[in-house]
Every structure is written in structure tokens, then in C-alpha cells.
Amino acid sequence: QVQLVESGGGLVQAGGSLRLSCAASGSIFRINAVGWYRQAPGKQRELVAGMTISGTTNYADSVKGRFTISRDNAKNTVYLQMNSLKPEDTAVYRCNALLNAYNYWGQGTQVTVSS
């Protein structure tokens, strides 16, 4: 069992930055990979950024060069640094953890980018 709690969303102007945090608790040592997903109204959920247990990262093409996923093992927290935000980044962002082929999700945090 893993519990995930996101924070850090909000309203920001285009070109601004936000940092999302995902605090994990529970059987975190068994986590295989973590990731950030987002879903905008009327659109499918998409993977924004992911990181394997070895530290390998991957990003959606739309956020490459602007977003960075990182982790602080001492704090059991995964971050998503989002720079140069665009209105099309507006969505609910959710943290995900893969553990033994089971996906755990946080409750989500709203990110709104105004033009």
C-alpha cells in the first residue's frame, strides 16, 4: 500500500513557474516507478513525466525542456518543476506510483495557467 498526497498547484500567468510535490508514505521501498499525469477537461489523461527506480526519466514532447521531474528520497517526495507555463498546461495533475504492477494515485492538484 502506498499513499500519495500532491500539493503546489494553483493559478499562474503564462510564462510563470510552479512546483508540484507528491509526498509518499507506506511501502515506498517497493515502488518501481513514479510519474506525473494530467487531464484537462474533455481530454484524455496523459503522462507528463516519469521516473524509474533507477532514475531514468521520460517526458511528454509537449513539456520537454520546460518540466523537470525529481525526487528527494530522504523526504519520500517527488517533484515536478514546471517552467515557462502555457495556457495549454492547464489541467488536474496527479501523482502516480507503480508498485508490483498496481497503480496508486494521489487526489490531484489543479494547475491553471492564464494567458
Side-chain angles (χ1 to χ4, degrees):
Q1 286 279 349
V2 174
Q3 295 79 43
L4 305 172
V5 179
E6 301 104 331
S7 61
L11 174 63
V12 65
Q13 288 188 333
S17 298
L18 283 174
R19 189 178 77 160
L20 305 183
S21 299
C22 174
S25 60
S27 303
I28 56 175
F29 59 92
R30 296 181 177 178
I31 291 176
N32 305 114
V34 292
W36 287 95
Y37 289 73
R38 68 185 181 188
Q39 187 166 19
K43 294 187 177 181
Q44 288 190 338
R45 184 175 62 200
E46 64 171 341
L47 174 65
V48 176
M51 177 183 283
T52 67
I53 193 171
S54 63
T56 302
T57 59
N58 62 289
Y59 297 91
D61 287 342
S62 59
V63 306
K64 282 181 180 177
R66 300 189 297 122
F67 290 12
T68 303
I69 186 171
S70 63
R71 67 188 182 201
D72 185 332
N73 292 331
K75 295 182 178 180
N76 298 328
T77 300
V78 178
Y79 302 98
L80 184 67
Q81 178 67 43
M82 305 185 294
N83 299 328
S84 302
L85 282 162
K86 304 175 181 180
E88 51 263 43
D89 294 319
T90 295
V92 174
Y93 286 70
R94 297 182 73 186
C95 180
N96 168 273
L98 178 65
L99 189 158
N100 295 334
Y102 188 84
N103 281 291
Y104 292 87
W105 296 93
Q107 81 286 356
T109 185
Q110 176 70 45
V111 171
T112 303
V113 184
S114 62
S115 57

